[in-house]
Amino acid sequence: MNQRVLSERARRVIPGGVNSGQRSVPGLTDLVIAHAEGARIRDADGREYVDYHAAFGPPLLGHNDPDVAEAVAAAGRSLDLAGVGVTQGEIELAETLAELVPGIEKSLLTSTGSEATFHALRVARAATGRRLVVKFQGCYHGWHDSVSLNVISAPDRVGARDPISTGILPEVLEATLVLPFNSAEAVRRAFAEHGADIAAAIVEPVPHNVGCLLPEPEFLRTLREECTKAGSVLVFDEVITGFRHALGGWQQISGVTPDLTTLGKAIANGYPVGALGGRADLMDLFSSRPGGPAFFAGTYNGHPAVVAAALATVRKLRAEPVHEHVFALGARIREGLTAIFDGLGVPAVVAGYGSVFVAYFMTGPARTYTDLLRNDAEMFIGYRRRLLGHGVFELPLNLKRSHVSYAHTGADVDHLLEAAEQAARAQLAQGGPVDVAAASTMGGAR
Ligand code: PMP
């Protein structure tokens, strides 16, 4: 059955035709994915793309990694969900996280990153008896109410407190302060004014939800100092950075240790798992007893299949030169793209870290979320739509980052750079919106 027919069926029975916000992309609303393996995804019409979208980040080893798939299958042969007690795999995974991640002494598993950040804020409020939460512009922490302030505002509404959704009680949003990322000064001011009421500050240490803003060392250090001084809980949301940039996450790289850490995505290479870990005294506030200091539960938490996936992912990340490989390819891509855009005379800031890359079409620098409002969204999206025609998939939505995996090769990077030059040239020459359906049958698909 072809994509058009399938996607029409989807829209009849699934609101919007997809199961998560931002999976329905303008111009690609008929996309039905039929196969994913290694560095490639294939649609239901047989069109193949080298995938740099990477499902927003989980498959660091590549899609359907055979070692992870085998570990999941092996777990399934001996165990499924018992829902009572604990399994050896859960113990080993918690021991591994405590060994690898500087800020983690004890941890709990969830099924998603949103659940992990939800519980981080709940336990911070339980521990401090305080109300306020600090978050930063450009950072995304999931779908729950406390953090559901829009990360993208129009240029004339910078800093506006736009709820991401209707249906949220205003008093919940009023308990969240939104500060500019990378502003140590704003952090000092907020703590001077509200410190005694701040339960937690939550931050993506690298705000990858708007591409890639690298944190200035003084910013993270100040955040750590102010939280310590005020007795507030510092939460690093490492759902994207965890395992992807280093086994110990950004806290290992920056040397700044948070009180709580949330993980997800790359830790199980695509299987649905999240984790919340941190200081033992905070984590011990969670109790399985109803009415315990902080309540934590979930039918699927620690499911043997996803725990096996996470353990197999860590084993491979430790045993093989995964980070070396993806860092080398990422660096080549960033250098190659910079040279291409320089050569074409296009103002561009090619940002990223390790395996992550993103080309903003603007003049530098890109330090804060506000800086990114200068990005030329039409060029950003038009360029990516044209890449589809060359069989390269970077999500054609504004400010989205791209990722390389262990399954990508040097030849894939050569192909990406050739495609990038042609796509940028065509977009510059013709501008305007691109008919994606036509573009993606232009013959570049492989
Ligand atoms: N935190 C960050 C930094 C994320 O990028 C995301 C997901 N994009 C989440 C939390 C929420 O995770 P999930 O979608 O698994 O609920």
Side-chain angles (χ1 to χ4, degrees):
M1 202 168 285
N2 71 26
Q3 290 205 99
R4 179 58 61 91
V5 175
L6 285 167
S7 61
E8 272 165 17
R9 276 175 57 191
R11 281 189 287 273
R12 248 176 265 135
V13 285
I14 302 172
V18 292
N19 267 305
S20 179
Q22 301 199 314
R23 283 191 196 165
S24 181
V25 180
L28 278 178
T29 47
D30 287 339
L31 190 61
V32 178
I33 299 297
H35 188 82
E37 191 175 346
R40 284 163 172 71
I41 52 174
R42 195 160 67 228
D43 71 21
D45 290 345
R47 220 174 272 126
E48 191 165 275
Y49 300 94
V50 183
D51 180 27
Y52 295 95
H53 167 48
F56 292 101
L60 176 57
L61 299 172
H63 288 291
N64 243 328
D65 178 85
D67 297 319
V68 176
E70 174 47 35
V72 171
R77 285 193 287 273
S78 65
L79 196 60
D80 75 347
L81 195 62
V84 64
V86 69
T87 59
Q88 190 171 328
E90 290 168 83
I91 300 166
E92 284 173 15
L93 184 52
E95 287 171 347
T96 304
L97 294 178
E99 182 193 343
L100 292 174
V101 184
I104 294 186
E105 293 173 337
K106 292 191 172 184
S107 61
L108 286 163
L109 297 178
T110 60
S111 298
T112 66
S114 297
E115 293 164 82
T117 59
F118 173 90
H119 284 293
L121 300 183
R122 171 180 279 182
V123 80
R125 285 180 165 133
T128 59
R130 300 175 184 176
R131 182 168 166 268
L132 298 181
V133 163
V134 168
K135 83 176 279 290
F136 293 87
Q137 279 182 345
C139 295
Y140 175 77
H141 304 293
W143 40 252
H144 53 91
D145 291 358
S146 285
V147 289
S148 287
L149 295 173
N150 222 347
V151 294
I152 312 262
S153 298
D156 58 336
R157 307 203 55 233
V158 173
R161 298 166 56 80
D162 297 340
I164 226 169
S165 170
T166 52
I168 302 175
L169 293 174
E171 43 277 44
V172 176
L173 294 180
E174 280 155 19
T176 303
L177 307 176
V178 185
L179 305 183
F181 185 79
N182 257 341
S183 174
E185 184 45 39
V187 169
R188 278 190 215 101
R189 237 182 299 124
F191 274 86
E193 239 174 87
H194 304 285
D197 296 323
I198 295 175
I202 185 166
V203 67
E204 274 187 84
V206 182
H208 280 311
N209 276 285
V210 287
C212 181
L213 297 174
L214 290 176
E216 288 162 10
E218 195 211 345
F219 170 69
L220 292 183
R221 266 201 314 270
T222 304
L223 199 48
R224 176 65 281 177
E225 282 163 18
E226 293 294 329
C227 282
T228 303
K229 241 182 6 197
S232 311
V233 175
L234 177 58
V235 185
F236 272 12
D237 181 354
E238 301 231 39
V239 164
I240 295 173
T241 51
F243 282 24
R244 178 166 283 282
H245 293 336
L247 281 166
W250 196 263
Q251 54 199 273
Q252 177 191 320
I253 294 166
S254 65
V256 177
T257 306
D259 302 304
L260 293 175
T261 300
T262 53
L263 297 166
K265 297 198 195 274
I267 71 168
N269 205 55
Y271 284 84
V273 68
L276 168 62
R279 273 169 32 200
D281 63 313
L282 289 173
M283 293 301 296
D284 280 338
L285 294 176
F286 285 112
S287 163
S288 53
R289 283 174 293 115
F295 184 65
F296 181 84
T299 301
Y300 300 111
N301 292 352
H303 190 290
V306 300
V307 168
L311 288 169
T313 301
V314 183
R315 256 195 312 277
K316 193 152 178 174
L317 290 173
R318 291 179 120 172
E320 298 192 23
V322 176
H323 286 104
E324 205 180 316
H325 179 81
V326 297
F327 273 53
L329 294 190
R332 258 200 68 205
I333 291 171
R334 287 187 295 274
E335 282 158 24
L337 291 177
T338 303
I340 287 166
F341 299 133
D342 278 356
L344 293 172
V346 190
V349 175
V350 181
Y353 182 88
S355 58
V356 172
F357 64 98
V358 55
Y360 303 112
F361 293 98
M362 57 184 253
T363 48
R367 286 184 62 240
T368 67
Y369 168 67
T370 311
D371 291 334
L372 300 183
L373 298 173
R374 296 201 310 269
N375 175 54
D376 179 342
E378 186 175 312
M379 178 72 192
F380 190 97
I381 294 165
Y383 159 74
R384 287 181 174 211
R385 286 184 176 192
R386 290 181 191 280
L387 284 178
L388 297 170
H390 298 272
V392 170
F393 201 104
E394 290 195 57
L395 194 66
L397 279 181
N398 199 24
L399 302 185
K400 296 300 170 205
R401 68 195 174 279
S402 295
H403 316 75
V404 274
S405 76
Y406 194 41
H408 285 84
T409 64
D412 290 329
V413 171
D414 293 340
H415 170 67
L416 167 67
L417 295 175
E418 283 162 29
E421 174 144 18
Q422 290 181 41
R425 268 187 203 286
Q427 182 62 19
L428 286 170
Q430 289 151 41
V434 177
D435 177 347
V436 176
S440 57
T441 52
M442 272 163 26
R446 10 183 313 179

